[in-house]
Amino acid sequence: MTDLPRSQSTVKNTRPFWHVPLIISTETIARSLLFLAASVSALVMIEPAPYDLLIAALLIGWSCAGLELRKDQLPLLVLLCFYILGGILALPAASNTKEAVIFYAVTVFLAFSSILYAATLSANMERLKAIEKGYMLAAVFATLLALAGYFNLFSGAYDQFTLYGRAKGTFKDPNVYGPFLLLPTLFIVYDILTRPLCKNILSAVLLLILLLGAFLSFSRATWGMTLGGSLLVFLLVFINERRSYSRLKLLGLFGLAGVAFIIMMLAFLSVDSIFEMFTQRAKLVQEYDGARLGRFGRWREGFTLVTEAPLGLGAGGFSSIFPEDEHNAYLKAFTTYGWLGGLSYITLIFWTVFKATPLVFKPLPWQKYIVCTYVAFLLHACVSFIIDSDHWRHYFLLLGILWAVISAEAGISRYRRFPPAR
């Protein structure tokens, strides 16, 4: 061991004994902030939610630090800007200007949250692990409170964490709470399918908690998304697996999952209150769907109406004419953002699916995230035909993750085609 120069030794000895050098890398800070943002994403009972404030701070801070967009993310940026511009052009048609301004401001915030995720994650795809852990924490926390509310485990829990006898956790609506659980559920399903069985004990417990929360939300969309999403993840893992032994293992797990699903459903439905709500909600078409001005009737009238309003009806314009909102995100894109916003929204959804579809079959280092996020996004895009998902925070998170993966994979492909000269 070499002796320090005298000057450095003197400086070292003059430091206080309590002095401890603290070195935190920029990357650690970045991952911690993304984890924190994801972990508070379920706390949306008040507005602005903690998630909103944190994302706003991250947008400002990261922009000052040098937020870089890759050229492969330009479609996301351009189409979201056109979507926002359509809302601005529709603003004069709004029945309540103040509420409309707030509505469009939320749209701007959510759009830029997607851009934030796309830019920060594509800079280092390992940051996806921080998002996963934070999101999982948020989902389990919200579900534990939802279960506490549904079973009224403490005073005031039922009133606080349920709505109309349906679990909603820390959300305002069970129909938002249920789909929020889809992505972490798919992460767990993927892990169970691809990891050794001995490492899946905790995953199985977490999966049971999330499935129970999704079931007790009594959201038909959530039921379909959870079941369909799990099957799609299984199918993609099975297709991407080339080893015969592993495929046999997957088929065995599929059989066990089927048996476990039947046993779980029988156990849930043995409770009278759950069985009663289940039979009520399990009807494919509810009374409020098929009425003359029910959900389906409003769609017909709404699409006819927007053909006469190129600039849209403005925020709240549809509900001022009809008894309820559109309950169709694509129709709402046209009524609230005009033809420009509606076409931009539909183009963005289909372009995202088109660009991401080939990636789920490629052996990428982050295949788990592309497979699970792709399936979750695809199912959200499908249920958007029957529900207003345009202001779901986690939907824009899915959008940002997908475009991060799209741009990262495009960068890898260019590198392989044109490697740097040595």
Side-chain angles (χ1 to χ4, degrees), residues 39-52 138 141-147 149 154 156-163 166-174 176-177 180 391 393:
S39 65
V40 301
S41 58
L43 303 176
V44 293
M45 296 181 71
I46 58 173
E47 290 187 345
Y51 175 82
D52 303 338
F141 175 75
T143 299
L144 290 176
L145 290 180
L147 297 180
F154 55 86
Y158 185 83
D159 295 332
Q160 190 73 17
F161 302 117
T162 64
L163 182 67
R166 300 165 58 190
K168 70 179 184 70
T170 52
F171 290 78
K172 292 182 178 180
D173 190 339
V176 184
Y177 159 68
F180 177 83
H391 274 184
R393 293 166 176 85

Side-chain angles (χ1 to χ4, degrees), residues 1 8 18 21 69 90 111 117 119 135 156 197 215 219 261 289 297 307 321 360 369 375 387 393 422:
M1 177 175 166
Q8 293 186 27
W18 60 81
L69 273 176
Y117 285 122
Y135 201 141
L197 296 178
F215 179 77
S219 165
F261 175 77
D289 290 326
T307 60
I321 300 173
V360 300
Y369 298 103
V375 170
I387 198 167
R393 293 166 176 85
R422 294 183 178 180

Side-chain angles (χ1 to χ4, degrees), residues 105-331:
V106 172
T107 299
V108 172
F109 158 77
L110 292 175
F112 278 92
S113 73
S114 279
I115 296 171
L116 172 70
Y117 285 122
T120 55
L121 293 175
S122 60
N124 186 344
M125 296 300 291
E126 290 295 319
R127 294 172 180 172
L128 279 167
K129 295 179 181 178
I131 296 288
E132 177 190 9
K133 293 177 181 177
Y135 201 141
M136 190 70 67
L137 177 63
V140 172
F141 175 75
T143 299
L144 290 176
L145 290 180
L147 297 180
Y150 187 85
F151 295 107
N152 199 22
L153 297 183
F154 55 86
S155 178
Y158 185 83
D159 295 332
Q160 190 73 17
F161 302 117
T162 64
L163 182 67
Y164 307 131
R166 300 165 58 190
K168 70 179 184 70
T170 52
F171 290 78
K172 292 182 178 180
D173 190 339
N175 293 323
V176 184
Y177 159 68
F180 177 83
L181 303 180
L182 180 61
L183 183 60
T185 298
L186 297 183
F187 281 151
I188 296 176
V189 170
Y190 189 96
D191 285 341
I192 291 176
L193 293 174
T194 56
R195 294 193 311 190
L197 296 178
C198 59
K199 295 183 178 181
N200 289 324
I201 298 176
L202 177 60
S203 296
V205 173
L206 294 178
L207 180 61
L208 181 61
I209 293 173
L210 295 182
L211 289 178
L212 181 56
F215 179 77
L216 294 180
S217 71
F218 294 104
S219 165
R220 293 169 294 169
T222 299
W223 294 345
M225 293 167 75
T226 304
L227 182 58
S230 300
L231 291 174
L232 278 175
V233 168
F234 170 82
L235 182 61
L236 290 173
V237 171
F238 187 84
I239 292 173
N240 290 329
E241 181 56 64
R242 295 290 183 263
R243 295 169 296 180
S244 300
Y245 171 78
S246 297
R247 284 192 167 188
L248 287 175
K249 171 193 168 184
L250 290 172
L251 290 175
L253 287 173
F254 183 79
L256 289 175
V259 173
F261 175 77
I262 294 174
I263 294 175
M264 186 172 63
M265 288 298 297
L266 291 175
F268 290 167
L269 297 178
S270 64
V271 181
D272 292 339
S273 59
I274 295 178
F275 179 78
E276 183 180 351
M277 179 64 80
F278 175 79
T279 53
Q280 176 186 339
R281 295 291 303 170
K283 297 178 182 177
L284 186 60
V285 178
Q286 299 287 337
E287 182 180 352
Y288 53 77
D289 290 326
R292 189 180 70 84
L293 285 180
R295 186 181 313 209
F296 304 145
R298 294 197 303 275
W299 293 351
R300 292 190 296 268
E301 298 292 336
F303 279 112
T304 301
L305 192 61
V306 296
T307 60
E308 305 169 358
L311 296 181
L313 308 175
F318 188 90
S319 57
S320 66
I321 300 173
F322 297 95
E324 289 186 30
D325 291 332
E326 295 89 337
H327 290 301
N328 182 318
Y330 303 102
L331 172 60

Side-chain angles (χ1 to χ4, degrees), residues 48-128:
Y51 175 82
D52 303 338
L53 300 176
L54 184 55
I55 290 295
L58 289 179
L59 279 168
I60 296 173
W62 236 305
S63 298
C64 295
L67 188 67
E68 295 183 4
L69 273 176
R70 301 188 178 192
K71 66 178 182 179
D72 302 288
Q73 296 166 351
L74 283 179
L76 173 68
L77 176 63
V78 172
L79 290 171
L80 284 176
C81 287
F82 279 140
Y83 183 56
I84 293 169
L85 179 59
I88 295 174
L89 295 176
L91 182 60
S95 56
N96 187 317
T97 304
K98 181 180 178 181
E99 292 183 0
V101 169
I102 296 174
F103 181 90
Y104 291 125
V106 172
T107 299
V108 172
F109 158 77
L110 292 175
F112 278 92
S113 73
S114 279
I115 296 171
L116 172 70
Y117 285 122
T120 55
L121 293 175
S122 60
N124 186 344
M125 296 300 291
E126 290 295 319
R127 294 172 180 172
L128 279 167

